[in-house]
């Protein structure tokens, strides 16, 4: 009889729905090389299709800085994201956008405002193929000026070669190349 009750109790517990939301909290203290110190806390919450992280730090003068970010799945291959930060001096920055997964990579687009009052839109595409990764991005500021960056990375055995071209809003371009070899 006892074993039947135990089996029944376990069966009931296993059949109960598990909480769809999980929260993890952390906190501690910090010190930097300039002699400043304070405390910090971070809380990450996950639930099906979304994740939110809220963090704050308070310095020895009682000033608080915050950073919050969230990611919410909007479809099988897409998600919306947002980030906001406020520094100890009270200036803030925000970024919002959408990530779309593609067959060979992803596309990201959105808008930003920075702590200096500047704002604009951005786009980025990442494509991967056998032995190669291509990244193209652009940013247009509040005055309609656009800057672009294009990078191609190739892999040949243990060597990765990269070429990046940056074009500023004035139309001037700079190209950098480099390579790295990994010895296993």
């Amino acid at each position: 009889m006892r074993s039947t009750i135990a089996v029944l109790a376990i069966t009931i517990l296993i059949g109960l729905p598990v909480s769809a939301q999980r929260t993890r909290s952390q906190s501690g203290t910090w010190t930097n090389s300039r002699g400043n110190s304070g405390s910090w806390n971070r809380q990450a919450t996950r639930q099906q299709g979304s994740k939110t992280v809220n963090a704050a730090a308070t310095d020895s003068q009682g000033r608080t800085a915050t950073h919050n970010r969230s990611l919410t799945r909007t479809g099988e291959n897409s998600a919306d994201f947002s980030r906001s930060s406020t520094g100890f001096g009270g200036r803030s920055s925000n970024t919002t956008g959408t990530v779309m997964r593609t067959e060979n990579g992803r596309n990201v687009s959105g808008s930003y405002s920075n702590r200096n009052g500047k704002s604009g839109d951005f786009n980025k595409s990442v494509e991967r193929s056998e032995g190669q990764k291509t990244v193209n991005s652009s940013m247009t500021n509040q005055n309609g000026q656009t800057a672009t960056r294009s990078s191609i990375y190739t892999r040949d055995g243990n060597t990765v070669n990269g070429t990046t071209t940056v074009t500023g809003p004035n139309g001037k371009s700079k190209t950098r190349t480099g390579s790295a070899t990994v010895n296993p």
Side-chain angles (χ1 to χ4, degrees):
M1 182 72 170
R2 282 187 184 179
S3 62
T4 304
I5 293 173
V7 169
L8 181 59
I10 291 171
T11 304
I12 291 171
L13 287 174
I14 291 173
L16 291 176
V18 177
S19 174
Q21 180 174 314
R22 297 178 309 229
T23 300
R24 180 177 175 189
S25 298
Q26 299 170 300
S27 61
T29 58
W30 60 272
T31 303
N32 67 20
S33 61
R34 292 179 273 169
N36 295 328
S37 62
S39 62
W40 62 272
N41 64 67
R42 178 182 184 270
Q43 180 173 321
T45 302
R46 274 183 189 250
Q47 52 190 8
Q48 187 170 0
S50 70
K51 180 179 180 179
T52 303
V53 178
N54 298 309
T58 302
D59 69 8
S60 57
Q61 298 172 14
R63 300 179 302 173
T64 300
T66 61
H67 180 75
N68 304 302
R69 67 179 194 243
S70 68
L71 180 68
T72 304
R73 191 173 190 161
T74 57
E76 185 177 333
N77 294 315
S78 62
D80 290 339
F81 65 89
S82 66
R83 291 183 214 133
S84 64
S85 296
T86 302
F88 289 120
R91 297 192 304 177
S92 61
S93 62
N94 297 290
T95 304
T96 60
T98 300
V99 178
M100 298 286 292
R101 189 173 23 194
T102 64
E103 184 177 329
N104 298 319
R106 68 181 180 276
N107 295 322
V108 181
S109 61
S111 60
Y112 71 92
S113 63
N114 67 24
R115 62 185 188 155
N116 296 320
K118 309 287 184 183
S119 62
D121 299 312
F122 61 89
N123 292 289
K124 179 178 182 178
S125 68
V126 179
E127 299 233 359
R128 295 177 190 270
S129 60
E130 186 66 33
Q132 183 170 311
K133 176 181 170 183
T134 304
V135 181
N136 292 305
S137 58
S138 67
M139 185 182 308
T140 303
N141 67 16
Q142 73 277 358
N143 298 325
Q145 299 170 313
T146 300
T148 62
R149 177 180 173 147
S150 297
S151 300
I152 297 175
Y153 305 97
T154 57
R155 183 173 182 163
D156 184 15
N158 291 342
T159 301
V160 176
N161 298 298
T163 301
T164 298
T165 301
V166 177
T167 304
N170 59 5
K172 293 183 181 178
S173 296
K174 288 187 179 183
T175 300
R176 288 183 281 180
T177 60
S179 65
T181 301
V182 178
N183 295 320

